[in-house]
Structures are given as C-alpha cells and as structure tokens.
Amino acid sequence: QVRLVESGGGLVQPGGSLRLSCAASGSIFTIGTMGWYCQAPGKQRELVASITNFGSTNYADSVKGRFTISRDNAKNTMYLQMNSLKPEDTAVYYCNAEGATRSWSRFNSWGQGTQVTVSS
C-alpha cells in the first residue's frame, strides 16, 4: 500500500505564493509520473501539472509561467511552487502518483487533498 500526504495549503492574498508538498510512503519500489490536480466547488477534478521520473513536466495552460512542479526522487516527494496566485486558483489540491510496489504490483494513489484559498 502506498500513501500520499499533501501539505502546504492555506489562505493567501492574490499575488501571493504557496508551496505544496506531497510525500509518498509505503512499500514503494519505483514511482513513475506524479501529478497535482485541483477541484473547485461544483467542478470536476483537473490536472494542474505533472512530472515524470525523468523530470519531464507538463502544465495546464492556466498555470504556465506561474506554477513550478518538481520532485525529489530520493525522498519520494513532489512539490508545487505556486506564484502570482489568483482567486480562480482557489480549490482543493490533490497529489497523485503511479508506480510499482516492492511486491511488483502496480499502484495509482491519491492524497487526501489540501485546501488553497486565494482571497483578499
């Protein structure tokens, strides 16, 4: 079983910054692609950014130039640096990771989510 725990959410004023972290733990052999998703009230969960184990990144158009995704493979941890935050970035942010466990089974896990609120 692989567990993901997010941290770093909170309340910030427009134009401010936050850094989210996602730590994976459990019987992990390897982690492939990791990603951040967001879900605003009344909307579907959507991809914010993703990063492969080789460091290739992908961003939603709405966050390009403002958010930066990164990971530390040695710590099984992923980050999302969020700058120039806008009220429309308000949502619950979830991390996702896929890979293989030490027993050679595949996993695709989600964190519990962390609230990001951008408001003056």
Side-chain angles (χ1 to χ4, degrees):
Q1 184 177 358
V2 176
R3 182 180 181 217
L4 303 181
V5 178
E6 301 104 335
S7 60
L11 173 64
V12 63
Q13 291 186 342
S17 298
L18 283 174
R19 188 189 193 213
L20 305 184
S21 299
C22 171
S25 62
S27 181
I28 299 169
F29 176 70
T30 186
I31 300 177
T33 298
M34 302 181 78
W36 288 99
Y37 292 74
C38 69
Q39 187 167 19
K43 294 187 177 181
Q44 289 189 333
R45 190 174 299 186
E46 58 185 20
L47 178 68
V48 175
S50 64
I51 184 168
T52 71
N53 51 339
F54 297 108
S56 295
T57 59
N58 179 52
Y59 294 93
D61 288 342
S62 60
V63 306
K64 284 180 181 176
R66 300 188 298 122
F67 292 7
T68 302
I69 190 171
S70 61
R71 63 191 281 175
D72 184 334
N73 291 331
K75 296 181 179 179
N76 289 333
T77 301
M78 174 179 63
Y79 307 95
L80 185 68
Q81 178 65 43
M82 310 166 71
N83 297 329
S84 302
L85 282 160
K86 305 174 180 180
E88 50 264 43
D89 295 319
T90 296
V92 178
Y93 284 72
Y94 298 90
C95 68
N96 173 266
E98 60 84 16
T101 67
R102 293 195 187 101
S103 59
W104 291 100
S105 62
R106 301 293 301 180
F107 70 86
N108 189 313
S109 298
W110 291 89
Q112 81 287 352
T114 185
Q115 176 71 46
V116 171
T117 302
V118 185
S119 175
S120 55

